[in-house]
Coordinates of all heavy atoms in Angstrom, one line a residue:
M1 N -10.3 -14.7 -48.9 CA -10.0 -14.9 -47.5 C -9.6 -16.4 -47.3 O -10.1 -17.2 -47.9 CB -11.2 -14.6 -46.6 CG -10.8 -14.3 -45.2 SD -9.8 -12.9 -44.9 CE -10.6 -11.7 -45.9
T2 N -8.5 -16.7 -46.5 CA -8.1 -18.0 -46.4 C -9.0 -18.8 -45.4 O -9.7 -18.2 -44.7 CB -6.6 -18.1 -45.8 OG1 -6.6 -17.7 -44.5 CG2 -5.7 -17.2 -46.7
S3 N -8.7 -20.1 -45.3 CA -9.5 -20.9 -44.4 C -9.2 -20.5 -42.9 O -10.0 -20.6 -42.1 CB -9.2 -22.4 -44.6 OG -7.8 -22.6 -44.5
K4 N -8.0 -19.9 -42.7 CA -7.7 -19.4 -41.4 C -8.2 -18.0 -41.1 O -8.1 -17.6 -40.0 CB -6.1 -19.5 -41.1 CG -5.6 -20.9 -40.9 CD -4.1 -20.9 -40.4 CE -3.3 -21.3 -41.7 NZ -1.9 -20.8 -41.7
G5 N -8.7 -17.4 -42.2 CA -9.4 -16.2 -42.0 C -8.3 -15.0 -41.9 O -7.1 -15.2 -42.3
W6 N -8.9 -13.9 -41.4 CA -8.1 -12.7 -41.3 C -6.7 -12.9 -40.7 O -5.7 -12.2 -41.1 CB -8.9 -11.7 -40.6 CG -8.8 -10.3 -40.9 CD1 -8.8 -9.3 -40.1 CD2 -8.5 -9.6 -42.1 NE1 -8.5 -8.0 -40.6 CE2 -8.3 -8.3 -42.0 CE3 -8.3 -10.1 -43.5 CZ2 -8.1 -7.3 -43.0 CZ3 -7.9 -9.2 -44.4 CH2 -7.9 -7.8 -44.2
A7 N -6.7 -13.6 -39.6 CA -5.5 -13.7 -38.8 C -4.2 -14.2 -39.5 O -3.1 -14.1 -39.1 CB -5.7 -14.5 -37.5
S8 N -4.5 -14.9 -40.7 CA -3.3 -15.5 -41.4 C -2.5 -14.4 -42.2 O -1.5 -14.7 -42.8 CB -3.8 -16.6 -42.3 OG -4.7 -16.1 -43.2
F9 N -3.1 -13.1 -42.3 CA -2.3 -12.2 -43.0 C -1.4 -11.4 -42.0 O -1.7 -11.3 -40.8 CB -3.3 -11.2 -43.7 CG -4.1 -11.9 -44.7 CD1 -5.3 -12.3 -44.5 CD2 -3.5 -12.2 -45.9 CE1 -6.1 -12.9 -45.5 CE2 -4.1 -12.9 -46.9 CZ -5.4 -13.2 -46.8
T10 N -0.3 -10.8 -42.5 CA 0.6 -10.0 -41.7 C -0.2 -8.7 -41.2 O -1.1 -8.4 -41.9 CB 1.8 -9.6 -42.5 OG1 1.4 -8.9 -43.7 CG2 2.7 -10.9 -42.9
K11 N 0.3 -8.2 -40.2 CA -0.4 -7.1 -39.6 C -0.3 -5.9 -40.7 O -1.1 -5.1 -40.9 CB 0.4 -6.5 -38.4 CG -0.1 -7.0 -37.1 CD 0.4 -6.0 -35.9 CE 0.7 -6.9 -34.7 NZ 2.0 -7.1 -34.4
E12 N 0.8 -5.9 -41.3 CA 1.1 -4.8 -42.3 C -0.1 -4.9 -43.5 O -0.7 -3.9 -43.9 CB 2.5 -4.9 -43.1 CG 3.6 -4.6 -42.1 CD 4.1 -5.7 -41.2 OE1 3.5 -6.8 -41.2 OE2 5.1 -5.5 -40.5
S13 N -0.3 -6.2 -44.0 CA -1.2 -6.3 -45.0 C -2.7 -6.1 -44.6 O -3.4 -5.6 -45.3 CB -1.1 -7.8 -45.6 OG 0.0 -7.9 -46.3
Q14 N -2.9 -6.4 -43.3 CA -4.2 -6.0 -42.7 C -4.5 -4.6 -42.8 O -5.6 -4.1 -43.1 CB -4.4 -6.5 -41.4 CG -4.3 -8.1 -41.3 CD -4.7 -8.6 -39.9 OE1 -5.1 -7.9 -39.0 NE2 -4.2 -9.9 -39.7
K15 N -3.5 -3.8 -42.6 CA -3.5 -2.4 -42.5 C -3.8 -1.9 -44.0 O -4.7 -1.0 -44.2 CB -2.2 -1.8 -42.1 CG -2.3 -1.0 -40.8 CD -0.9 -0.5 -40.4 CE -0.6 1.0 -40.7 NZ 0.7 1.4 -40.2
C16 N -3.0 -2.5 -45.0 CA -3.2 -2.1 -46.3 C -4.7 -2.3 -46.8 O -5.3 -1.4 -47.3 CB -2.4 -2.9 -47.3 SG -0.7 -3.1 -46.8
V17 N -5.2 -3.4 -46.5 CA -6.5 -3.8 -46.9 C -7.6 -2.9 -46.3 O -8.5 -2.5 -47.0 CB -6.9 -5.3 -46.6 CG1 -8.2 -5.7 -47.0 CG2 -5.9 -6.2 -47.5
S18 N -7.4 -2.7 -45.0 CA -8.5 -2.0 -44.4 C -8.6 -0.6 -44.9 O -9.8 -0.1 -44.9 CB -8.3 -2.0 -42.8 OG -7.1 -1.4 -42.4
C19 N -7.6 0.0 -45.3 CA -7.7 1.3 -45.9 C -8.0 1.2 -47.4 O -8.8 2.0 -47.9 CB -6.5 2.1 -45.6 SG -6.7 3.8 -46.2
H20 N -7.4 0.3 -48.1 CA -7.5 0.2 -49.6 C -8.9 -0.3 -50.0 O -9.2 -0.1 -51.1 CB -6.4 -0.6 -50.2 CG -5.2 0.3 -50.5 ND1 -5.1 0.9 -51.7 CD2 -4.2 0.8 -49.8 CE1 -3.9 1.7 -51.7 NE2 -3.4 1.6 -50.6
K21 N -9.7 -0.9 -49.1 CA -11.0 -1.2 -49.4 C -11.7 -0.1 -49.9 O -12.6 -0.2 -50.8 CB -11.7 -1.7 -48.1 CG -11.7 -3.2 -48.0 CD -12.7 -3.6 -46.8 CE -12.4 -2.9 -45.5 NZ -12.8 -3.7 -44.3
S22 N -11.5 1.1 -49.3 CA -12.0 2.3 -49.8 C -11.2 3.1 -50.8 O -11.6 3.7 -51.8 CB -12.6 3.2 -48.8 OG -11.6 3.4 -47.8
A23 N -9.8 3.1 -50.5 CA -8.9 3.9 -51.3 C -8.8 3.3 -52.7 O -8.9 4.2 -53.7 CB -7.5 4.0 -50.7
T24 N -8.7 2.1 -52.8 CA -8.8 1.5 -54.3 C -9.5 0.2 -54.2 O -9.0 -0.9 -54.2 CB -7.4 1.2 -54.8 OG1 -6.6 0.3 -53.8 CG2 -6.5 2.5 -54.9
S25 N -10.9 0.3 -54.1 CA -11.6 -0.9 -53.9 C -11.4 -2.0 -55.1 O -11.5 -3.1 -54.7 CB -13.0 -0.5 -53.8 OG -13.5 0.1 -55.0
F26 N -11.3 -1.4 -56.2 CA -11.0 -2.4 -57.3 C -9.8 -3.3 -57.1 O -10.0 -4.5 -57.2 CB -10.8 -1.6 -58.7 CG -10.5 -2.5 -59.8 CD1 -11.6 -3.2 -60.4 CD2 -9.3 -2.6 -60.3 CE1 -11.3 -4.1 -61.5 CE2 -8.9 -3.4 -61.4 CZ -10.0 -4.1 -62.0
V27 N -8.7 -2.8 -56.7 CA -7.5 -3.6 -56.4 C -7.9 -4.6 -55.3 O -7.4 -5.8 -55.4 CB -6.3 -2.7 -56.0 CG1 -5.2 -3.5 -55.5 CG2 -6.0 -1.8 -57.1
V28 N -8.6 -4.2 -54.2 CA -8.8 -5.1 -53.2 C -9.8 -6.3 -53.7 O -9.7 -7.4 -53.3 CB -9.4 -4.5 -51.9 CG1 -9.8 -5.4 -50.9 CG2 -8.3 -3.4 -51.4
K29 N -10.8 -6.0 -54.5 CA -11.7 -6.9 -55.0 C -10.9 -7.9 -55.8 O -11.3 -9.2 -55.7 CB -12.7 -6.2 -55.9 CG -14.1 -5.9 -55.3 CD -15.1 -5.6 -56.2 CE -16.2 -4.7 -55.6 NZ -16.6 -3.6 -56.6
E30 N -10.1 -7.5 -56.7 CA -9.3 -8.3 -57.5 C -8.5 -9.3 -56.7 O -8.4 -10.5 -56.9 CB -8.5 -7.7 -58.5 CG -9.1 -7.0 -59.6 CD -9.9 -8.0 -60.6 OE1 -9.2 -9.0 -61.0 OE2 -11.1 -7.8 -60.7
W31 N -7.7 -8.6 -55.6 CA -7.0 -9.5 -54.8 C -7.7 -10.6 -54.0 O -7.3 -11.7 -53.9 CB -6.2 -8.5 -53.8 CG -5.5 -9.2 -52.7 CD1 -4.3 -9.8 -52.7 CD2 -6.0 -9.3 -51.4 NE1 -4.0 -10.4 -51.5 CE2 -4.9 -10.1 -50.6 CE3 -7.1 -8.9 -50.7 CZ2 -5.1 -10.3 -49.3 CZ3 -7.2 -9.2 -49.2 CH2 -6.2 -9.8 -48.6
K32 N -8.9 -10.2 -53.6 CA -9.8 -11.1 -52.9 C -10.1 -12.4 -53.6 O -10.3 -13.5 -53.1 CB -11.0 -10.5 -52.4 CG -10.8 -9.7 -51.1 CD -12.1 -9.4 -50.4 CE -11.9 -8.8 -49.1 NZ -13.1 -7.8 -48.7
K33 N -10.2 -12.1 -55.0 CA -10.5 -13.3 -55.9 C -9.3 -14.1 -56.2 O -9.5 -15.3 -56.7 CB -11.0 -12.8 -57.2 CG -12.5 -12.4 -57.1 CD -13.1 -12.1 -58.5 CE -12.8 -10.6 -59.0 NZ -13.3 -10.4 -60.4
S34 N -8.1 -13.6 -55.9 CA -6.9 -14.3 -56.3 C -6.5 -15.4 -55.4 O -6.8 -15.5 -54.2 CB -5.7 -13.3 -56.4 OG -5.3 -12.9 -55.1
K35 N -5.5 -16.3 -55.9 CA -5.0 -17.5 -55.1 C -4.2 -16.9 -54.0 O -4.0 -17.5 -53.0 CB -4.3 -18.4 -56.1 CG -5.1 -19.2 -56.8 CD -4.6 -20.6 -57.0 CE -5.7 -21.5 -57.7 NZ -5.1 -22.6 -58.5
H36 N -3.6 -15.7 -54.3 CA -2.8 -15.1 -53.2 C -3.5 -14.8 -51.9 O -3.1 -15.3 -50.9 CB -2.1 -13.8 -53.8 CG -1.1 -14.0 -54.8 ND1 -1.1 -13.5 -56.0 CD2 0.0 -14.9 -54.8 CE1 -0.1 -13.9 -56.9 NE2 0.6 -14.7 -56.0
S37 N -4.7 -14.2 -52.0 CA -5.5 -14.0 -50.8 C -5.9 -15.3 -50.2 O -5.9 -15.3 -48.9 CB -6.7 -12.9 -51.1 OG -7.7 -13.7 -51.8
K38 N -6.2 -16.2 -51.0 CA -6.6 -17.5 -50.5 C -5.5 -18.3 -49.8 O -5.7 -19.2 -49.1 CB -7.3 -18.3 -51.5 CG -8.6 -17.6 -52.0 CD -9.4 -18.4 -53.0 CE -10.8 -17.7 -53.2 NZ -10.8 -17.0 -54.5
N39 N -4.3 -17.9 -50.1 CA -3.1 -18.6 -49.5 C -2.4 -17.6 -48.6 O -1.2 -17.8 -48.3 CB -2.3 -19.0 -50.6 CG -2.9 -20.2 -51.3 OD1 -2.7 -21.4 -50.8 ND2 -3.5 -20.0 -52.5
G40 N -3.0 -16.6 -48.0 CA -2.3 -15.9 -47.0 C -1.3 -14.8 -47.5 O -0.6 -14.3 -46.7
V41 N -1.3 -14.6 -48.8 CA -0.4 -13.6 -49.4 C -1.0 -12.3 -49.5 O -2.0 -12.1 -50.3 CB 0.2 -14.1 -50.8 CG1 1.2 -13.1 -51.3 CG2 0.8 -15.4 -50.7
G42 N -0.6 -11.3 -48.7 CA -1.3 -10.1 -48.6 C -0.5 -9.0 -49.5 O 0.5 -9.2 -50.1
C43 N -1.1 -7.8 -49.4 CA -0.5 -6.7 -50.2 C 1.0 -6.5 -49.9 O 1.8 -6.2 -50.8 CB -1.3 -5.4 -49.9 SG -3.0 -5.5 -49.5
Y44 N 1.2 -6.5 -48.6 CA 2.6 -6.1 -48.1 C 3.6 -7.2 -48.5 O 4.8 -6.8 -48.7 CB 2.6 -6.0 -46.6 CG 3.9 -5.4 -46.1 CD1 4.2 -4.1 -46.3 CD2 4.8 -6.2 -45.2 CE1 5.4 -3.5 -45.8 CE2 5.9 -5.6 -44.7 CZ 6.2 -4.3 -45.0 OH 7.4 -3.8 -44.5
E45 N 3.1 -8.5 -48.7 CA 4.2 -9.5 -49.2 C 4.7 -9.2 -50.6 O 5.7 -9.7 -50.9 CB 3.4 -10.8 -49.2 CG 3.3 -11.5 -47.8 CD 2.5 -10.6 -46.7 OE1 1.4 -10.3 -46.9 OE2 3.3 -10.1 -45.8
C46 N 3.8 -8.5 -51.3 CA 4.4 -8.2 -52.7 C 4.9 -6.8 -52.8 O 5.9 -6.5 -53.4 CB 3.2 -8.3 -53.7 SG 2.9 -9.9 -54.2
H47 N 4.2 -5.7 -52.2 CA 4.6 -4.4 -52.3 C 5.6 -3.9 -51.2 O 6.2 -3.0 -51.4 CB 3.3 -3.5 -52.1 CG 2.4 -3.6 -53.4 ND1 2.7 -2.9 -54.5 CD2 1.3 -4.2 -53.6 CE1 1.8 -3.1 -55.5 NE2 0.9 -3.9 -55.0
G48 N 5.7 -4.7 -50.2 CA 6.7 -4.3 -49.2 C 8.1 -4.4 -49.7 O 8.4 -5.3 -50.5
T49 N 8.9 -3.5 -49.3 CA 10.3 -3.5 -49.8 C 11.2 -2.8 -48.8 O 10.8 -2.6 -47.7 CB 10.4 -2.9 -51.2 OG1 11.8 -3.1 -51.8 CG2 10.1 -1.3 -51.2
T50 N 12.5 -2.6 -49.2 CA 13.4 -1.9 -48.1 C 14.0 -0.6 -48.8 O 13.8 -0.4 -50.0 CB 14.6 -2.8 -47.9 OG1 15.3 -3.0 -49.1 CG2 14.3 -4.2 -47.3
K51 N 14.6 0.2 -47.9 CA 15.0 1.5 -48.4 C 16.1 1.3 -49.6 O 16.3 2.2 -50.4 CB 15.8 2.2 -47.3 CG 14.8 3.0 -46.4 CD 15.6 3.7 -45.4 CE 14.8 4.1 -44.2 NZ 15.6 4.2 -43.0
N52 N 16.7 0.1 -49.7 CA 17.7 -0.1 -50.8 C 17.1 -0.1 -52.1 O 17.8 0.0 -53.1 CB 18.5 -1.4 -50.5 CG 19.1 -1.4 -49.1 OD1 19.4 -0.4 -48.5 ND2 19.3 -2.6 -48.6
N53 N 15.8 -0.3 -52.2 CA 15.1 -0.5 -53.5 C 14.9 0.9 -54.0 O 14.4 1.8 -53.4 CB 13.8 -1.2 -53.3 CG 13.0 -1.2 -54.5 OD1 13.2 -0.5 -55.6 ND2 12.1 -2.2 -54.6
P54 N 15.5 1.2 -55.2 CA 15.3 2.6 -55.7 C 13.9 3.0 -55.8 O 13.6 4.2 -55.9 CB 16.1 2.5 -57.1 CG 16.6 1.2 -57.3 CD 16.2 0.4 -56.1
A55 N 13.0 2.0 -56.0 CA 11.6 2.4 -56.2 C 10.8 2.5 -54.9 O 9.6 2.7 -54.8 CB 11.0 1.4 -57.1
A56 N 11.5 2.5 -53.8 CA 10.9 2.5 -52.5 C 10.4 3.9 -52.0 O 11.1 4.8 -52.4 CB 11.9 1.9 -51.4
Y57 N 9.3 3.9 -51.5 CA 8.9 5.2 -50.8 C 8.1 4.9 -49.6 O 7.6 3.8 -49.4 CB 8.1 6.1 -51.7 CG 6.8 5.5 -52.3 CD1 5.6 5.8 -51.7 CD2 6.8 4.7 -53.3 CE1 4.4 5.3 -52.0 CE2 5.6 4.2 -53.8 CZ 4.4 4.5 -53.3 OH 3.3 3.9 -53.7
K58 N 7.9 5.9 -48.7 CA 7.3 5.7 -47.5 C 5.8 5.9 -47.7 O 5.4 7.0 -48.3 CB 7.9 6.7 -46.4 CG 7.8 6.0 -45.0 CD 8.7 6.7 -44.0 CE 8.6 6.0 -42.7 NZ 8.9 6.9 -41.6
H59 N 5.0 5.1 -47.3 CA 3.5 5.1 -47.5 C 2.9 4.7 -46.2 O 3.0 3.6 -45.8 CB 3.2 4.2 -48.7 CG 1.7 4.2 -49.0 ND1 1.0 5.3 -49.4 CD2 0.7 3.2 -49.1 CE1 -0.2 5.0 -49.7 NE2 -0.4 3.8 -49.5
M60 N 2.2 5.6 -45.5 CA 1.4 5.3 -44.3 C 2.4 4.6 -43.3 O 2.1 3.7 -42.6 CB 0.2 4.4 -44.6 CG -0.7 4.9 -45.7 SD -1.5 6.4 -45.3 CE -2.0 6.9 -47.0
G61 N 3.7 5.1 -43.2 CA 4.6 4.6 -42.2 C 5.3 3.3 -42.6 O 6.0 2.7 -41.8
L62 N 4.9 2.7 -43.8 CA 5.6 1.6 -44.2 C 6.4 1.8 -45.5 O 6.0 2.8 -46.2 CB 4.6 0.4 -44.4 CG 3.9 0.0 -43.2 CD1 2.6 -0.8 -43.5 CD2 4.8 -0.9 -42.4
I63 N 7.5 1.0 -45.8 CA 8.2 1.2 -46.9 C 7.7 0.2 -48.0 O 7.7 -0.9 -47.9 CB 9.7 0.9 -46.6 CG1 10.1 2.1 -45.7 CG2 10.5 1.1 -48.0 CD1 11.5 2.0 -45.3
I64 N 7.2 0.8 -49.1 CA 6.6 -0.1 -50.1 C 7.1 0.5 -51.5 O 7.7 1.5 -51.6 CB 5.1 0.0 -50.1 CG1 4.6 1.4 -50.6 CG2 4.5 -0.5 -48.8 CD1 3.1 1.3 -51.0
S65 N 6.8 -0.2 -52.6 CA 6.9 0.3 -53.9 C 5.7 -0.1 -54.7 O 5.0 -1.2 -54.4 CB 8.1 -0.4 -54.5 OG 8.1 -1.8 -54.8
T66 N 5.3 0.8 -55.7 CA 4.3 0.5 -56.5 C 4.6 -0.6 -57.4 O 3.8 -1.5 -57.8 CB 3.7 1.8 -57.3 OG1 3.5 2.8 -56.3 CG2 2.6 1.5 -58.2
L67 N 5.8 -0.5 -58.0 CA 6.2 -1.4 -58.9 C 6.7 -2.7 -58.1 O 7.4 -2.6 -57.2 CB 7.7 -0.8 -59.5 CG 7.8 -0.9 -60.9 CD1 7.9 0.5 -61.5 CD2 8.7 -1.8 -61.4
V68 N 6.2 -3.8 -58.6 CA 6.5 -5.1 -58.0 C 7.4 -5.8 -59.0 O 7.0 -6.2 -60.1 CB 5.3 -5.9 -57.6 CG1 5.7 -7.3 -57.0 CG2 4.5 -5.2 -56.6
T69 N 8.7 -6.0 -58.8 CA 9.7 -6.6 -59.7 C 9.5 -8.1 -59.8 O 9.2 -8.8 -58.7 CB 11.0 -6.2 -59.3 OG1 11.4 -6.7 -58.1 CG2 11.2 -4.7 -59.3
P70 N 9.9 -8.7 -60.8 CA 10.0 -10.2 -60.9 C 10.9 -10.8 -59.8 O 10.6 -11.9 -59.4 CB 10.6 -10.5 -62.3 CG 10.3 -9.2 -63.0 CD 10.3 -8.1 -62.0
E71 N 11.8 -10.1 -59.2 CA 12.6 -10.6 -58.2 C 11.8 -10.7 -56.9 O 12.0 -11.7 -56.2 CB 13.8 -9.7 -57.8 CG 15.0 -9.7 -58.9 CD 14.6 -8.9 -60.2 OE1 13.9 -7.9 -60.1 OE2 15.0 -9.4 -61.2
Q72 N 10.8 -9.8 -56.7 CA 9.9 -10.0 -55.5 C 9.1 -11.2 -55.7 O 8.7 -11.9 -54.7 CB 9.1 -8.7 -55.4 CG 10.0 -7.6 -54.6 CD 9.4 -6.2 -54.7 OE1 9.5 -5.5 -55.7 NE2 8.6 -5.9 -53.7
C73 N 8.5 -11.5 -56.9 CA 7.7 -12.7 -57.1 C 8.5 -13.9 -56.9 O 8.0 -14.9 -56.4 CB 7.1 -12.7 -58.5 SG 6.5 -11.1 -59.1
A74 N 9.7 -13.8 -57.3 CA 10.7 -15.1 -57.3 C 11.0 -15.5 -55.8 O 11.5 -16.6 -55.7 CB 12.0 -14.7 -58.0
R75 N 10.8 -14.7 -54.9 CA 10.9 -15.0 -53.5 C 10.1 -16.2 -53.2 O 10.4 -17.1 -52.4 CB 10.5 -14.0 -52.6 CG 11.5 -12.8 -52.3 CD 11.2 -12.1 -51.1 NE 9.8 -11.5 -51.1 CZ 8.9 -11.5 -50.1 NH1 9.2 -12.1 -49.0 NH2 7.8 -10.9 -50.3
C76 N 8.9 -16.2 -53.9 CA 8.0 -17.3 -53.6 C 7.8 -18.2 -54.8 O 7.4 -19.3 -54.7 CB 6.5 -16.8 -53.2 SG 6.6 -15.8 -51.7
H77 N 8.1 -17.7 -56.0 CA 8.0 -18.4 -57.3 C 9.3 -18.4 -57.9 O 9.5 -17.8 -58.9 CB 7.0 -17.7 -58.2 CG 5.6 -17.5 -57.7 ND1 4.7 -18.6 -57.5 CD2 4.9 -16.5 -57.3 CE1 3.6 -18.2 -57.0 NE2 3.6 -16.9 -56.9
P78 N 10.2 -19.4 -57.5 CA 11.5 -19.5 -58.2 C 11.1 -19.9 -59.7 O 10.4 -20.7 -59.9 CB 12.1 -20.6 -57.5 CG 11.4 -21.0 -56.4 CD 10.0 -20.3 -56.5
G79 N 11.7 -19.1 -60.5 CA 11.5 -19.4 -61.9 C 10.4 -18.6 -62.7 O 10.5 -18.5 -63.9
V80 N 9.6 -17.9 -61.9 CA 8.6 -17.0 -62.6 C 9.4 -15.8 -63.1 O 10.1 -15.0 -62.4 CB 7.6 -16.6 -61.6 CG1 6.7 -15.4 -62.3 CG2 6.7 -17.6 -61.3
V81 N 9.3 -15.5 -64.5 CA 9.9 -14.4 -65.0 C 8.9 -13.3 -65.3 O 9.2 -12.1 -65.1 CB 10.7 -14.8 -66.2 CG1 11.5 -13.6 -66.9 CG2 11.6 -16.0 -66.0
K82 N 7.8 -13.6 -65.8 CA 6.9 -12.4 -66.2 C 5.4 -12.8 -66.0 O 5.1 -14.0 -65.8 CB 7.1 -12.0 -67.6 CG 6.8 -13.1 -68.7 CD 6.8 -12.5 -70.0 CE 6.1 -13.5 -71.0 NZ 5.8 -13.0 -72.3
E83 N 4.7 -11.8 -65.8 CA 3.3 -12.0 -65.6 C 2.5 -10.7 -66.1 O 2.8 -9.7 -65.7 CB 2.9 -12.1 -64.1 CG 1.5 -12.1 -63.8 CD 0.6 -13.3 -64.2 OE1 1.2 -14.3 -64.7 OE2 -0.6 -13.2 -64.1
Ligands
HEC101 C1 -4.7 4.9 -44.2 C2 -4.9 4.5 -45.7 C3 -3.9 3.7 -46.4 C4 -3.1 2.7 -45.9 C5 -3.0 2.1 -44.5 C6 -2.4 2.2 -47.1 N1 -2.7 2.9 -48.2 FE1 -1.9 2.6 -50.0 N2 -2.9 4.3 -50.7 C7 -3.8 5.0 -49.9 C8 -4.4 6.1 -50.9 C9 -5.4 7.0 -50.4 C10 -3.7 6.1 -52.1 C11 -3.9 6.9 -53.2 C12 -4.9 6.2 -54.0 C13 -5.1 6.8 -55.5 O1 -4.1 7.2 -56.1 O2 -6.2 6.8 -56.0 C14 -2.8 4.9 -52.0 C15 -2.0 4.5 -53.0 C16 -1.3 3.3 -52.9 C17 -0.5 2.7 -54.1 C18 -0.4 3.3 -55.5 C19 0.8 4.5 -55.5 C20 0.9 4.9 -56.9 O3 2.0 5.6 -57.0 O4 0.0 4.7 -57.8 C21 0.0 1.5 -53.7 C22 0.9 0.6 -54.5 C23 -0.4 1.4 -52.3 N3 -1.2 2.4 -51.9 C24 -0.1 0.2 -51.5 C25 -0.3 0.1 -50.2 C26 0.2 -1.0 -49.4 C27 1.0 -2.1 -50.0 C28 -0.1 -0.7 -48.1 C29 0.2 -1.5 -46.9 C30 1.6 -1.6 -46.6 C31 -0.9 0.5 -48.1 N4 -1.0 1.0 -49.5 C32 -1.5 1.1 -47.0 C33 -4.3 4.8 -48.7 C34 -3.6 3.9 -47.8
HEC102 C1 1.1 -11.1 -56.1 C2 1.6 -9.8 -55.7 C3 0.6 -8.7 -55.4 C4 -0.2 -8.6 -54.4 C5 -0.5 -9.7 -53.3 C6 -0.8 -7.4 -54.4 N1 -0.2 -6.6 -55.4 FE1 -0.6 -4.7 -55.9 N2 0.4 -4.8 -57.5 C7 1.2 -5.9 -57.9 C8 1.7 -5.7 -59.2 C9 2.6 -6.6 -60.0 C10 1.3 -4.4 -59.6 C11 1.5 -3.7 -61.1 C12 2.7 -2.9 -60.8 C13 3.1 -2.3 -62.1 O1 2.2 -2.1 -63.0 O2 4.3 -2.1 -62.4 C14 0.4 -3.9 -58.6 C15 -0.2 -2.6 -58.6 C16 -0.9 -2.1 -57.5 C17 -1.5 -0.7 -57.4 C18 -1.4 0.3 -58.5 C19 -2.5 0.1 -59.4 C20 -2.5 1.0 -60.6 O3 -3.1 0.6 -61.6 O4 -1.8 2.0 -60.5 C21 -2.1 -0.6 -56.2 C22 -2.7 0.7 -55.6 C23 -1.9 -1.9 -55.5 N3 -1.2 -2.7 -56.3 C24 -2.4 -2.1 -54.2 C25 -2.4 -3.3 -53.7 C26 -3.1 -3.7 -52.6 C27 -3.9 -2.7 -51.7 C28 -3.0 -5.0 -52.3 C29 -3.8 -5.8 -51.2 C30 -5.2 -5.8 -51.2 C31 -2.1 -5.6 -53.3 N4 -1.8 -4.5 -54.2 C32 -1.7 -6.8 -53.5 C33 1.4 -7.0 -57.2 C34 0.6 -7.3 -56.1
HEC103 C1 4.8 -14.2 -50.4 C2 4.8 -15.2 -51.4 C3 4.3 -14.8 -52.8 C4 4.7 -13.8 -53.5 C5 5.6 -12.6 -53.1 C6 4.0 -13.9 -54.8 N1 3.2 -15.1 -54.8 FE1 2.2 -15.7 -56.4 N2 1.4 -17.4 -55.3 C7 1.8 -17.5 -54.0 C8 1.1 -18.6 -53.3 C9 1.1 -19.2 -52.0 C10 0.2 -19.0 -54.5 C11 -0.9 -20.1 -54.5 C12 -0.1 -21.4 -55.0 C13 -1.1 -22.5 -55.3 O1 -2.2 -22.2 -55.7 O2 -0.6 -23.6 -55.1 C14 0.4 -18.2 -55.6 C15 -0.1 -18.3 -56.9 C16 0.3 -17.5 -58.0 C17 -0.3 -17.7 -59.3 C18 -1.3 -18.7 -59.8 C19 -2.6 -18.1 -59.7 C20 -3.8 -18.7 -60.2 O3 -4.9 -18.1 -60.1 O4 -3.6 -19.9 -60.7 C21 0.3 -16.8 -60.2 C22 0.2 -16.7 -61.6 C23 1.3 -16.0 -59.3 N3 1.2 -16.5 -58.0 C24 2.0 -15.0 -59.8 C25 2.8 -14.2 -59.0 C26 3.4 -12.9 -59.4 C27 3.5 -12.4 -60.8 C28 4.0 -12.4 -58.3 C29 4.8 -11.1 -58.3 C30 4.1 -9.9 -58.7 C31 3.8 -13.3 -57.1 N4 3.0 -14.4 -57.7 C32 4.2 -13.0 -55.9 C33 2.8 -16.8 -53.3 C34 3.4 -15.7 -53.5

């Protein structure tokens, strides 16, 4: 959780977390420990995508992909190629 708390996450990501706490508690635990959660980067910031992405699918009313490509990381990390 960031210093600004829950409100610093997008509405979309708040939705993901509130359900995934039970749907995939392991993923949420790992995320909570990460620098991403401490810097306001939520699930949707990585998994969110558009219909143009061939890996996109509709999940609980939002368009996401399970696969997170290096291009999506590069939005925030110019130069990151792999992880
Ligand atoms: C109302 C509950 C709910 C909400 C809201 C929700 N999910 Fe899920 N999600 C699930 C369930 C249940 C599964 C299936 C879990 C499993 O396979 O064990 C799942 C699966 C997934 C998967 C894995 C799909 C796969 O093919 O392996 C991803 C990635 C995912 N969710 C991301 C998100 C993201 C990102 C958000 C927010 C935009 C979100 N979810 C919102 C319940 C939810
Ligand atoms: C920094 C980017 C990032 C953030 C933030 C993030 N994820 Fe992921 N997520 C990934 C990547 C990368 C993968 C691995 C995809 C792959 O294996 O191709 C993944 C995989 C997953 C999977 C599939 C796990 C599996 O083993 O099948 C689920 C479910 C998931 N994430 C849900 C979430 C949820 C819920 C949140 C928020 C609590 C979240 N993610 C936050 C990048 C992220
Ligand atoms: C929405 C913006 C955003 C996205 C998308 C994003 N990140 Fe990050 N990432 C951040 C921020 C912010 C930090 C914290 C930077 C800091 O600590 O100075 C960070 C930190 C990291 C770190 C350092 C973590 C540590 O514990 O030292 C790694 C590694 C990383 N990101 C990898 C990734 C990968 C891989 C992806 C794609 C799957 C990704 N990020 C997607 C914003 C993002």
Side-chain angles (χ1 to χ4, degrees):
M1 204 62 50
T2 70
S3 49
K4 280 187 257 155
W6 205 219
S8 59
F9 295 103
T10 56
K11 264 200 219 105
E12 287 85 355
S13 288
Q14 293 183 22
K15 245 174 105 180
C16 317
V17 173
S18 62
C19 187
H20 271 266
K21 265 193 305 208
S22 46
T24 60
S25 61
F26 175 76
V27 171
V28 172
K29 263 194 208 142
E30 286 300 306
W31 170 76
K32 276 195 175 152
K33 283 192 272 178
S34 74
K35 288 220 171 150
H36 288 125
S37 70
K38 294 184 173 106
N39 287 275
V41 180
C43 323
Y44 191 67
E45 280 56 64
C46 282
H47 288 280
T49 186
T50 61
K51 277 188 197 147
N52 303 335
N53 181 339
Y57 63 97
K58 217 165 178 203
H59 181 60
M60 311 293 162
L62 292 164
I63 296 174
I64 67 157
S65 69
T66 301
L67 229 124
V68 178
T69 63
E71 286 73 39
Q72 280 165 276
C73 313
R75 277 198 304 134
C76 302
H77 300 289
V80 169
V81 184
K82 62 169 195 168
E83 164 75 4

